[in-house]
Amino acid sequence: MAFDAGIVLIWILFLALFPMAFFWLRRAWRIFVKRDYSEVALKRGQSPPNPRKWAPVTGILNLLAGFIALWIILGVPLWVATGISIGPFHEFEVWSAVAGSMIWIKIFADFIISRQAHPFTLGKKKKK
């Protein structure tokens, strides 16, 4: 195996999964266990009018994305070191596709949730 740009990108993608999994699982922990809704459905840094309503959706999304990242983090080295497969990790194209798809789906789903939590108002804004 030659050391080239492809190998570097493989390692960058794999190592980037560690902080992503940590932050996503920590956010799910804060939402479900600590009942901290300060990071739920943010739009321009502001919480929605009722963050508790959107907390389960955001928490489940973060929990699912964190567990998928953790599954990849554990599955790839396990297959490389022992040959034991706990998922589709026998080829780079497969686990990188799962990781990349998970990252993009998480980004788009967070965007959709934040836009649903902050409804769009038509007409003139009322002065307070």
Side-chain angles (χ1 to χ4, degrees), residues 10-60:
I10 290 170
W11 276 100
I12 288 173
L13 175 62
F14 183 71
L15 294 175
L17 290 175
F18 286 87
M20 282 190 252
F22 172 75
F23 285 115
W24 292 337
L25 291 173
R26 183 183 68 173
R27 185 177 282 181
W29 174 268
R30 286 181 178 173
I31 291 170
F32 288 133
V33 177
K34 291 187 171 184
R35 305 279 187 222
D36 178 13
Y37 305 130
S38 62
E39 296 181 2
V40 172
L42 296 178
K43 181 179 178 183
R44 296 186 183 139
Q46 297 178 354
S47 292
N50 187 4
R52 190 174 190 177
K53 175 183 176 184
W54 298 97
V57 178
T58 306
I60 290 171

Side-chain angles (χ1 to χ4, degrees), residues 71-101:
W71 178 51
I72 294 169
I73 289 169
L74 296 175
V76 171
L78 186 67
W79 184 80
V80 169
T82 64
I84 299 172
S85 180
I86 61 170
F89 305 119
H90 53 279
E91 294 178 6
F92 164 72
E93 291 83 11
V94 178
W95 73 260
S96 65
V98 171
S101 299

Side-chain angles (χ1 to χ4, degrees), residues 58-73:
T58 306
I60 290 171
L61 176 65
N62 283 295
L63 195 64
L64 185 64
F67 278 134
I68 290 172
L70 194 62
W71 178 51
I72 294 169
I73 289 169

